Amino acid sequence: MRTTQIFLRSGLTVAAAAALPLTLAAPPAVARASGISVSTSGSSVTVTTSACPSNGSSFGISSLLASGQANFAQGRQMPLTGTSTSQSASWTGVSPGTYTVIVVCQNGSTAGTQSIIVSAPSTPTISATSSPSRGVMGGFGGAVQDYGTITVVGGAALVATGGVAAAWFLRRRSKPHRL
């Protein structure tokens, strides 16, 4: 019984190890990504691709289709510009909604199709904050609360008493024979 379990476990391990290269070599089940990359920033939409070769004068045309538009010619068309390694087109002033971007190379092949959602631009919210009713008071301490004359006179008396006490202490210290 013990030997059978060991062989069974090791047999499953060997089978899994043998199946691993087959699963890695199999074609992927998901569709490959299109040859375009679409991004949005506010009300701007930009498409980038490297799939369109140049014929010397152009790379191709891209079209931005709104949700109600059915074919390439109905969308807002922009020519691709760039280099042989990267081409791009952009649209500005795009209103919020769902759009489809299609890129057709100059040789007639479709480089890719991708849907994109343009969201409404967020506006900063300005809110009023409460401030002190009388602001910061200048003069005695800069407090917001207005202290009365009695409080100011009491503070001045404490400062004067402290000054007299300091002078008396320093005078006694300089003449130790006096009491």
Side-chain angles (χ1 to χ4, degrees):
M1 173 103 177
R2 182 178 243 185
T3 308
T4 314
Q5 287 179 348
I6 292 173
F7 285 134
L8 180 63
R9 287 184 187 162
S10 63
L12 291 174
T13 305
V14 170
L20 183 62
L22 296 175
T23 58
L24 294 177
V30 294
R32 294 198 180 262
S34 67
I36 65 173
S37 172
V38 182
S39 62
T40 63
S41 175
S43 64
S44 298
V45 176
T46 304
V47 62
T48 306
T49 185
S50 60
C52 293
S54 173
N55 67 355
S57 62
S58 71
F59 295 100
I61 297 176
S62 58
S63 181
L64 180 70
L65 299 159
S67 59
Q69 298 172 329
N71 61 26
F72 186 84
Q74 291 177 337
R76 289 174 54 185
Q77 297 180 4
M78 292 294 289
L80 292 173
T81 59
T83 64
S84 60
T85 58
S86 176
Q87 304 88 39
S88 65
S90 63
W91 298 268
T92 57
V94 179
S95 58
T98 302
Y99 295 89
T100 302
V101 177
I102 302 172
V103 175
V104 176
C105 297
Q106 52 82 21
N107 61 6
S109 65
T110 302
T113 302
Q114 186 174 341
S115 293
I116 190 85
I117 296 174
V118 177
S119 57
S122 61
T123 56
T125 304
I126 300 172
S127 63
T129 58
S130 64
S131 60
S133 60
R134 295 185 58 177
V136 176
M137 307 279 293
F140 295 109
V144 174
Q145 186 175 356
D146 187 15
Y147 295 105
T149 308
I150 296 173
T151 307
V152 174
V153 170
L158 286 173
V159 169
T161 304
V164 170
W168 179 72
F169 176 75
L170 291 174
R171 185 167 185 266
R172 276 196 56 163
R173 191 170 176 208
S174 67
K175 298 181 181 179
H177 60 283
R178 292 188 178 190
L179 290 176

PDB file of all heavy atoms in Angstrom, residues 43-70:
ATOM      1  N   SER A  43     -10.713  66.109 -22.735  1.00  0.00           N
ATOM      2  CA  SER A  43     -11.539  65.968 -23.929  1.00  0.00           C
ATOM      3  C   SER A  43     -10.700  65.662 -25.166  1.00  0.00           C
ATOM      4  O   SER A  43     -11.131  65.884 -26.288  1.00  0.00           O
ATOM      5  CB  SER A  43     -12.341  67.248 -24.156  1.00  0.00           C
ATOM      6  OG  SER A  43     -11.461  68.320 -24.426  1.00  0.00           O
ATOM      7  N   SER A  44      -9.488  65.133 -24.968  1.00  0.00           N
ATOM      8  CA  SER A  44      -8.611  64.751 -26.071  1.00  0.00           C
ATOM      9  C   SER A  44      -8.489  63.241 -26.140  1.00  0.00           C
ATOM     10  O   SER A  44      -8.398  62.576 -25.110  1.00  0.00           O
ATOM     11  CB  SER A  44      -7.219  65.347 -25.896  1.00  0.00           C
ATOM     12  OG  SER A  44      -7.294  66.744 -25.894  1.00  0.00           O
ATOM     13  N   VAL A  45      -8.474  62.704 -27.368  1.00  0.00           N
ATOM     14  CA  VAL A  45      -8.282  61.275 -27.597  1.00  0.00           C
ATOM     15  C   VAL A  45      -7.071  61.133 -28.513  1.00  0.00           C
ATOM     16  O   VAL A  45      -6.964  61.831 -29.525  1.00  0.00           O
ATOM     17  CB  VAL A  45      -9.523  60.628 -28.254  1.00  0.00           C
ATOM     18  CG1 VAL A  45      -9.269  59.172 -28.575  1.00  0.00           C
ATOM     19  CG2 VAL A  45     -10.734  60.774 -27.357  1.00  0.00           C
ATOM     20  N   THR A  46      -6.150  60.232 -28.161  1.00  0.00           N
ATOM     21  CA  THR A  46      -4.945  60.004 -28.949  1.00  0.00           C
ATOM     22  C   THR A  46      -4.815  58.533 -29.256  1.00  0.00           C
ATOM     23  O   THR A  46      -5.004  57.695 -28.371  1.00  0.00           O
ATOM     24  CB  THR A  46      -3.697  60.482 -28.179  1.00  0.00           C
ATOM     25  OG1 THR A  46      -3.867  61.860 -27.838  1.00  0.00           O
ATOM     26  CG2 THR A  46      -2.441  60.317 -29.009  1.00  0.00           C
ATOM     27  N   VAL A  47      -4.484  58.201 -30.500  1.00  0.00           N
ATOM     28  CA  VAL A  47      -4.237  56.819 -30.910  1.00  0.00           C
ATOM     29  C   VAL A  47      -2.787  56.731 -31.375  1.00  0.00           C
ATOM     30  O   VAL A  47      -2.274  57.629 -32.039  1.00  0.00           O
ATOM     31  CB  VAL A  47      -5.215  56.354 -32.015  1.00  0.00           C
ATOM     32  CG1 VAL A  47      -5.066  57.182 -33.273  1.00  0.00           C
ATOM     33  CG2 VAL A  47      -5.000  54.881 -32.331  1.00  0.00           C
ATOM     34  N   THR A  48      -2.126  55.647 -30.967  1.00  0.00           N
ATOM     35  CA  THR A  48      -0.736  55.405 -31.340  1.00  0.00           C
ATOM     36  C   THR A  48      -0.619  53.997 -31.880  1.00  0.00           C
ATOM     37  O   THR A  48      -1.214  53.062 -31.332  1.00  0.00           O
ATOM     38  CB  THR A  48       0.189  55.568 -30.115  1.00  0.00           C
ATOM     39  OG1 THR A  48      -0.045  56.842 -29.531  1.00  0.00           O
ATOM     40  CG2 THR A  48       1.639  55.445 -30.499  1.00  0.00           C
ATOM     41  N   THR A  49       0.177  53.829 -32.942  1.00  0.00           N
ATOM     42  CA  THR A  49       0.393  52.516 -33.524  1.00  0.00           C
ATOM     43  C   THR A  49       1.784  52.464 -34.134  1.00  0.00           C
ATOM     44  O   THR A  49       2.413  53.492 -34.368  1.00  0.00           O
ATOM     45  CB  THR A  49      -0.667  52.184 -34.597  1.00  0.00           C
ATOM     46  OG1 THR A  49      -0.472  50.858 -35.046  1.00  0.00           O
ATOM     47  CG2 THR A  49      -0.584  53.134 -35.774  1.00  0.00           C
ATOM     48  N   SER A  50       2.245  51.281 -34.393  1.00  0.00           N
ATOM     49  CA  SER A  50       3.503  51.098 -35.129  1.00  0.00           C
ATOM     50  C   SER A  50       3.280  50.089 -36.248  1.00  0.00           C
ATOM     51  O   SER A  50       4.233  49.562 -36.803  1.00  0.00           O
ATOM     52  CB  SER A  50       4.612  50.632 -34.186  1.00  0.00           C
ATOM     53  OG  SER A  50       4.242  49.405 -33.589  1.00  0.00           O
ATOM     54  N   ALA A  51       2.015  49.839 -36.576  1.00  0.00           N
ATOM     55  CA  ALA A  51       1.681  48.794 -37.536  1.00  0.00           C
ATOM     56  C   ALA A  51       1.590  49.283 -38.974  1.00  0.00           C
ATOM     57  O   ALA A  51       1.479  48.476 -39.887  1.00  0.00           O
ATOM     58  CB  ALA A  51       0.353  48.151 -37.140  1.00  0.00           C
ATOM     59  N   CYS A  52       1.610  50.575 -39.210  1.00  0.00           N
ATOM     60  CA  CYS A  52       1.412  51.094 -40.560  1.00  0.00           C
ATOM     61  C   CYS A  52       2.733  51.518 -41.198  1.00  0.00           C
ATOM     62  O   CYS A  52       3.363  52.469 -40.746  1.00  0.00           O
ATOM     63  CB  CYS A  52       0.460  52.283 -40.536  1.00  0.00           C
ATOM     64  SG  CYS A  52      -1.220  51.847 -40.070  1.00  0.00           S
ATOM     65  N   PRO A  53       3.146  50.829 -42.265  1.00  0.00           N
ATOM     66  CA  PRO A  53       4.363  51.254 -42.971  1.00  0.00           C
ATOM     67  C   PRO A  53       4.058  52.478 -43.836  1.00  0.00           C
ATOM     68  O   PRO A  53       2.924  52.717 -44.230  1.00  0.00           O
ATOM     69  CB  PRO A  53       4.712  50.042 -43.828  1.00  0.00           C
ATOM     70  CG  PRO A  53       3.401  49.361 -44.053  1.00  0.00           C
ATOM     71  CD  PRO A  53       2.586  49.617 -42.823  1.00  0.00           C
ATOM     72  N   SER A  54       5.067  53.238 -44.128  1.00  0.00           N
ATOM     73  CA  SER A  54       4.892  54.447 -44.920  1.00  0.00           C
ATOM     74  C   SER A  54       5.047  54.118 -46.399  1.00  0.00           C
ATOM     75  O   SER A  54       5.847  53.272 -46.788  1.00  0.00           O
ATOM     76  CB  SER A  54       5.935  55.483 -44.519  1.00  0.00           C
ATOM     77  OG  SER A  54       5.873  56.594 -45.383  1.00  0.00           O
ATOM     78  N   ASN A  55       4.275  54.804 -47.242  1.00  0.00           N
ATOM     79  CA  ASN A  55       4.460  54.666 -48.682  1.00  0.00           C
ATOM     80  C   ASN A  55       5.260  55.846 -49.213  1.00  0.00           C
ATOM     81  O   ASN A  55       5.321  56.060 -50.402  1.00  0.00           O
ATOM     82  CB  ASN A  55       3.101  54.560 -49.389  1.00  0.00           C
ATOM     83  CG  ASN A  55       2.298  55.834 -49.306  1.00  0.00           C
ATOM     84  OD1 ASN A  55       2.681  56.796 -48.647  1.00  0.00           O
ATOM     85  ND2 ASN A  55       1.165  55.852 -49.984  1.00  0.00           N
ATOM     86  N   GLY A  56       5.822  56.604 -48.328  1.00  0.00           N
ATOM     87  CA  GLY A  56       6.617  57.761 -48.698  1.00  0.00           C
ATOM     88  C   GLY A  56       5.919  59.068 -48.408  1.00  0.00           C
ATOM     89  O   GLY A  56       6.552  60.065 -48.106  1.00  0.00           O
ATOM     90  N   SER A  57       4.591  59.092 -48.510  1.00  0.00           N
ATOM     91  CA  SER A  57       3.875  60.346 -48.267  1.00  0.00           C
ATOM     92  C   SER A  57       2.945  60.271 -47.066  1.00  0.00           C
ATOM     93  O   SER A  57       2.648  61.285 -46.457  1.00  0.00           O
ATOM     94  CB  SER A  57       3.079  60.744 -49.500  1.00  0.00           C
ATOM     95  OG  SER A  57       2.100  59.756 -49.796  1.00  0.00           O
ATOM     96  N   SER A  58       2.435  59.069 -46.722  1.00  0.00           N
ATOM     97  CA  SER A  58       1.535  58.963 -45.582  1.00  0.00           C
ATOM     98  C   SER A  58       1.629  57.574 -44.957  1.00  0.00           C
ATOM     99  O   SER A  58       2.171  56.640 -45.555  1.00  0.00           O
ATOM    100  CB  SER A  58       0.093  59.250 -46.004  1.00  0.00           C
ATOM    101  OG  SER A  58      -0.404  58.193 -46.796  1.00  0.00           O
ATOM    102  N   PHE A  59       1.072  57.472 -43.742  1.00  0.00           N
ATOM    103  CA  PHE A  59       1.042  56.198 -43.039  1.00  0.00           C
ATOM    104  C   PHE A  59      -0.349  55.575 -43.091  1.00  0.00           C
ATOM    105  O   PHE A  59      -0.486  54.370 -43.091  1.00  0.00           O
ATOM    106  CB  PHE A  59       1.447  56.391 -41.571  1.00  0.00           C
ATOM    107  CG  PHE A  59       2.868  56.832 -41.412  1.00  0.00           C
ATOM    108  CD1 PHE A  59       3.177  58.159 -41.180  1.00  0.00           C
ATOM    109  CD2 PHE A  59       3.894  55.912 -41.496  1.00  0.00           C
ATOM    110  CE1 PHE A  59       4.483  58.558 -41.032  1.00  0.00           C
ATOM    111  CE2 PHE A  59       5.205  56.314 -41.339  1.00  0.00           C
ATOM    112  CZ  PHE A  59       5.509  57.648 -41.113  1.00  0.00           C
ATOM    113  N   GLY A  60      -1.377  56.413 -43.076  1.00  0.00           N
ATOM    114  CA  GLY A  60      -2.743  55.925 -43.082  1.00  0.00           C
ATOM    115  C   GLY A  60      -3.678  56.938 -42.463  1.00  0.00           C
ATOM    116  O   GLY A  60      -3.317  58.093 -42.227  1.00  0.00           O
ATOM    117  N   ILE A  61      -4.910  56.489 -42.185  1.00  0.00           N
ATOM    118  CA  ILE A  61      -5.936  57.369 -41.635  1.00  0.00           C
ATOM    119  C   ILE A  61      -6.577  56.687 -40.438  1.00  0.00           C
ATOM    120  O   ILE A  61      -6.768  55.468 -40.428  1.00  0.00           O
ATOM    121  CB  ILE A  61      -7.016  57.685 -42.688  1.00  0.00           C
ATOM    122  CG1 ILE A  61      -6.392  58.441 -43.863  1.00  0.00           C
ATOM    123  CG2 ILE A  61      -8.142  58.509 -42.111  1.00  0.00           C
ATOM    124  CD1 ILE A  61      -7.358  58.713 -44.995  1.00  0.00           C
ATOM    125  N   SER A  62      -6.927  57.479 -39.447  1.00  0.00           N
ATOM    126  CA  SER A  62      -7.644  56.967 -38.285  1.00  0.00           C
ATOM    127  C   SER A  62      -8.989  57.672 -38.206  1.00  0.00           C
ATOM    128  O   SER A  62      -9.139  58.796 -38.674  1.00  0.00           O
ATOM    129  CB  SER A  62      -6.833  57.196 -37.017  1.00  0.00           C
ATOM    130  OG  SER A  62      -6.567  58.567 -36.869  1.00  0.00           O
ATOM    131  N   SER A  63      -9.962  56.990 -37.625  1.00  0.00           N
ATOM    132  CA  SER A  63     -11.303  57.546 -37.538  1.00  0.00           C
ATOM    133  C   SER A  63     -11.842  57.341 -36.130  1.00  0.00           C
ATOM    134  O   SER A  63     -11.680  56.273 -35.540  1.00  0.00           O
ATOM    135  CB  SER A  63     -12.215  56.870 -38.561  1.00  0.00           C
ATOM    136  OG  SER A  63     -13.508  57.421 -38.512  1.00  0.00           O
ATOM    137  N   LEU A  64     -12.503  58.365 -35.613  1.00  0.00           N
ATOM    138  CA  LEU A  64     -13.134  58.329 -34.294  1.00  0.00           C
ATOM    139  C   LEU A  64     -14.637  58.252 -34.509  1.00  0.00           C
ATOM    140  O   LEU A  64     -15.256  59.208 -34.983  1.00  0.00           O
ATOM    141  CB  LEU A  64     -12.766  59.580 -33.489  1.00  0.00           C
ATOM    142  CG  LEU A  64     -13.351  59.695 -32.092  1.00  0.00           C
ATOM    143  CD1 LEU A  64     -12.717  58.670 -31.162  1.00  0.00           C
ATOM    144  CD2 LEU A  64     -13.134  61.095 -31.539  1.00  0.00           C
ATOM    145  N   LEU A  65     -15.222  57.099 -34.187  1.00  0.00           N
ATOM    146  CA  LEU A  65     -16.642  56.865 -34.410  1.00  0.00           C
ATOM    147  C   LEU A  65     -17.409  57.004 -33.112  1.00  0.00           C
ATOM    148  O   LEU A  65     -17.060  56.388 -32.110  1.00  0.00           O
ATOM    149  CB  LEU A  65     -16.875  55.455 -34.964  1.00  0.00           C
ATOM    150  CG  LEU A  65     -16.207  55.151 -36.300  1.00  0.00           C
ATOM    151  CD1 LEU A  65     -16.059  53.665 -36.485  1.00  0.00           C
ATOM    152  CD2 LEU A  65     -17.028  55.740 -37.402  1.00  0.00           C
ATOM    153  N   ALA A  66     -18.474  57.811 -33.121  1.00  0.00           N
ATOM    154  CA  ALA A  66     -19.360  57.914 -31.966  1.00  0.00           C
ATOM    155  C   ALA A  66     -20.242  56.675 -31.923  1.00  0.00           C
ATOM    156  O   ALA A  66     -20.262  55.873 -32.857  1.00  0.00           O
ATOM    157  CB  ALA A  66     -20.197  59.177 -32.059  1.00  0.00           C
ATOM    158  N   SER A  67     -20.988  56.512 -30.840  1.00  0.00           N
ATOM    159  CA  SER A  67     -21.768  55.287 -30.649  1.00  0.00           C
ATOM    160  C   SER A  67     -22.825  55.078 -31.725  1.00  0.00           C
ATOM    161  O   SER A  67     -23.188  53.955 -32.025  1.00  0.00           O
ATOM    162  CB  SER A  67     -22.416  55.276 -29.265  1.00  0.00           C
ATOM    163  OG  SER A  67     -23.261  56.407 -29.139  1.00  0.00           O
ATOM    164  N   GLY A  68     -23.344  56.108 -32.360  1.00  0.00           N
ATOM    165  CA  GLY A  68     -24.383  55.953 -33.380  1.00  0.00           C
ATOM    166  C   GLY A  68     -23.833  55.768 -34.779  1.00  0.00           C
ATOM    167  O   GLY A  68     -24.593  55.541 -35.718  1.00  0.00           O
ATOM    168  N   GLN A  69     -22.535  55.874 -34.979  1.00  0.00           N
ATOM    169  CA  GLN A  69     -21.946  55.786 -36.314  1.00  0.00           C
ATOM    170  C   GLN A  69     -21.553  54.349 -36.614  1.00  0.00           C
ATOM    171  O   GLN A  69     -21.029  53.652 -35.754  1.00  0.00           O
ATOM    172  CB  GLN A  69     -20.764  56.726 -36.427  1.00  0.00           C
ATOM    173  CG  GLN A  69     -21.172  58.180 -36.239  1.00  0.00           C
ATOM    174  CD  GLN A  69     -19.995  59.112 -36.149  1.00  0.00           C
ATOM    175  OE1 GLN A  69     -18.927  58.744 -35.681  1.00  0.00           O
ATOM    176  NE2 GLN A  69     -20.203  60.358 -36.575  1.00  0.00           N
ATOM    177  N   ALA A  70     -21.777  53.931 -37.873  1.00  0.00           N
ATOM    178  CA  ALA A  70     -21.597  52.522 -38.222  1.00  0.00           C
ATOM    179  C   ALA A  70     -20.342  52.224 -39.019  1.00  0.00           C
ATOM    180  O   ALA A  70     -19.792  51.129 -38.906  1.00  0.00           O
ATOM    181  CB  ALA A  70     -22.817  52.028 -38.995  1.00  0.00           C
TER     182      ALA A  70
END
